[in-house]
Amino acid sequence: MNKILKVLLPAVMLILMLGAFTACACDEDDAPPVQQQPGQQGPQDNVETPPNVPGEAVRVGVSMPTMDLQRWNQDGANLNRLLSARGFDVDLQFAANDVPTQVAQIENMIGAGAEILVIAAIDGDSLTEVLAQAYERDITVIAYDRLIMNTPAVSYYATFDNFLVGVMQGEFVRDALDLPNQDGPFYIEFFTGDPGDNNINFFFPGAMSILQPFLDDGTLVSPSGQTAIAQVATIAWSSENAQTRMENLIALNNLTPGGNPLHAVMCSNDSTAQGVTQALRNAGWEADGFPIITGQDCDIISVRNMIAGYQAMSVFKDTRVLAENVVEMVAAIAEGREVPINNTTDYNNGVLYIPTYLSDPIVATLDNYRELLIDGGYYTEAELYG
Ligand code: GAL
């Protein structure tokens, strides 16, 4: 509450002082009351306001993990555009997937007067110390798409239902191979993301909640036997790291078209799916007969691979929706209104249950990608087809 007063009280004082001044200079009915919200333009905004004068735009620090993966560029651009349009002063930084860089950038945002921080953590366990500074300064922190762990400083979390993302991936493999009605064995390998990204603790268990029973009864077999999350993690979610590991798995068990069978590779997102796909293509696998590859994010490269017959599915997480949800949270925080959330029970960050706004993921396949991505305005034809 003291934060809201800190933001609104000076504006109210300024308006009262201006009202008093105006009242002296003209009749009362010429000076309609102006209720200026932080960040909104008001009539007195044409007056040169020295720094730190009440009524300045609320400064929002936006910390994104990297520009190396397509989606985070979209997230950063969406947040910058939408927050700026609402009158906020945006400080957007990308941390090149380097944790010390992200920590330093957040420190700088705090030092530069950010009143709200929106953070997609590279490593959810790496921000406890720097966010203690935010906590001391009563800065509101929103965890963006990735939960930030082991700190009381996080006030809100906005993401998609990431366990459901994994369930969707597992169900797609189950149904594509008709596992409940087959004896098998079908052969599968697994890839998830960076071990520091708390989201893999939702994606991978989600997928395994569907597929583990088939591993247990022998309908599914992993030739490498690598089915534990630590064994199938991919540092930095990088396509190169996924490709290298898939090349090793191909060599380990001769997973080639003329060698031993491979029916599916469960990948937690598109960047890992792209690396796996490249390794399989290099080993001679053709689109016709290609193993079932799952993904997430509807990256342009992966959608093109879907159209070409290499990737079987992705999961659409509309980053525009996520950004819009977060902007509504930021506006509500700045204006002292109730912050929109729809989950208070599923996201414990090791210190407390974080009030969360979950958006819905959608399965994307050849059957619906045009409706989702082109008709929905997410990509233009030119962007998608090149
Ligand atoms: C996850 C995110 C996914 C995935 C990955 C790599 O945290 O939820 O969309 O793409 O990062 O950026």
Side-chain angles (χ1 to χ4, degrees):
M1 192 49 190
N2 58 352
K3 167 172 178 37
I4 303 305
L5 285 176
K6 188 173 69 174
V7 172
L8 292 179
L9 190 59
V12 172
M13 295 299 290
L14 179 66
I15 290 160
L16 290 174
M17 287 189 308
L18 287 168
F21 173 74
T22 308
C24 298
C26 63
D27 294 339
E28 272 187 17
D29 56 9
D30 292 348
V34 172
Q35 190 64 43
Q36 181 183 352
Q37 299 297 331
Q40 284 179 352
Q41 301 306 310
Q44 65 273 26
D45 271 47
N46 55 7
V47 174
E48 188 59 44
T49 48
N52 300 324
V53 167
E56 267 191 329
V58 171
R59 190 172 178 86
V60 180
V62 177
S63 172
M64 290 287 113
T66 177
M67 299 186 89
D68 294 344
L69 294 177
Q70 176 193 314
R71 69 147 298 178
W72 300 113
N73 293 286
Q74 293 164 205
D75 294 277
N78 290 337
L79 286 166
N80 194 21
R81 174 172 49 80
L82 294 170
L83 285 168
S84 301
R86 297 284 285 264
F88 290 98
D89 176 14
V90 182
D91 179 1
L92 169 62
Q93 303 284 338
F94 292 86
N97 258 337
D98 178 69
V99 169
T101 297
Q102 185 168 48
V103 170
Q105 288 174 339
I106 293 171
E107 278 179 338
N108 292 339
M109 290 172 182
I110 294 170
E115 297 181 52
I116 299 170
L117 292 173
V118 178
I119 302 171
I122 296 166
D123 178 335
D125 275 319
S126 64
L127 301 178
T128 304
E129 191 175 325
V130 66
L131 291 185
Q133 299 173 35
Y135 193 65
E136 285 161 16
R137 290 164 175 78
D138 203 15
I139 294 169
T140 305
V141 177
I142 300 172
Y144 185 92
D145 196 49
R146 294 175 171 176
L147 191 55
I148 299 169
M149 307 303 290
N150 303 321
T151 169
V154 177
S155 300
Y156 301 101
Y157 179 33
T159 189
F160 292 86
D161 186 335
N162 290 318
F163 186 86
L164 177 57
V165 169
V167 166
M168 289 172 162
Q169 294 163 340
E171 287 176 339
F172 188 92
V173 171
R174 177 198 67 191
D175 298 343
L177 295 176
D178 190 24
L179 294 178
N181 305 304
Q182 304 295 323
D183 294 331
F186 295 98
Y187 295 92
I188 185 170
E189 294 291 358
F190 297 90
F191 286 70
T192 194
D194 188 279
D197 180 350
N198 187 59
N199 280 354
I200 69 169
N201 299 314
F202 292 89
F203 298 142
F204 190 67
M208 294 308 258
S209 71
I210 302 298
L211 297 177
Q212 187 63 52
F214 297 104
L215 287 166
D216 294 344
D217 71 12
T219 312
L220 273 180
V221 171
S222 167
S224 69
Q226 295 173 12
T227 58
I229 194 166
Q231 294 174 308
V232 302
T234 308
I235 300 295
W237 291 92
S238 96
S239 299
E240 294 72 21
N241 291 338
Q243 181 173 342
T244 299
R245 178 168 171 258
M246 189 67 236
E247 287 164 352
N248 293 338
L249 295 177
I250 289 167
L252 184 67
N253 288 291
N254 188 24
L255 302 177
T256 59
N260 293 320
L262 180 67
H263 298 94
V265 184
M266 200 296 296
C267 300
S268 288
N269 90 317
D270 284 351
S271 59
T272 51
Q274 290 155 31
V276 165
T277 296
Q278 194 55 58
L280 290 168
R281 293 184 65 182
N282 294 345
W285 291 90
E286 302 285 345
D288 182 16
F290 209 80
I292 294 158
I293 308 293
T294 64
Q296 170 191 183
D297 295 322
C298 287
D299 285 359
I300 287 174
I301 293 171
S302 283
V303 177
R304 290 175 179 170
N305 281 346
M306 271 172 35
I307 296 163
Y310 297 115
Q311 185 167 331
M313 64 85 74
S314 187
V315 176
F316 181 46
K317 300 188 334 183
D318 192 333
T319 53
R320 300 169 300 180
V321 170
L322 181 58
E324 284 158 9
N325 292 341
V326 167
V327 169
E328 286 309 316
M329 284 179 156
V330 169
I333 292 162
E335 296 161 16
R337 291 185 283 106
E338 185 180 356
V339 178
I341 56 168
N342 57 17
N343 184 297
T344 57
T345 57
D346 293 346
Y347 296 94
N348 187 309
N349 79 332
V351 173
L352 64 159
Y353 281 93
I354 308 297
T356 296
Y357 195 93
L358 282 183
S359 299
D360 297 327
I362 304 169
V363 171
T365 65
L366 271 183
D367 297 337
N368 68 348
Y369 82 90
R370 281 196 61 87
E371 175 195 350
L372 283 177
L373 305 174
I374 302 289
D375 302 347
Y378 199 69
Y379 296 133
T380 65
E381 300 245 4
E383 281 171 328
L384 196 50
Y385 302 120

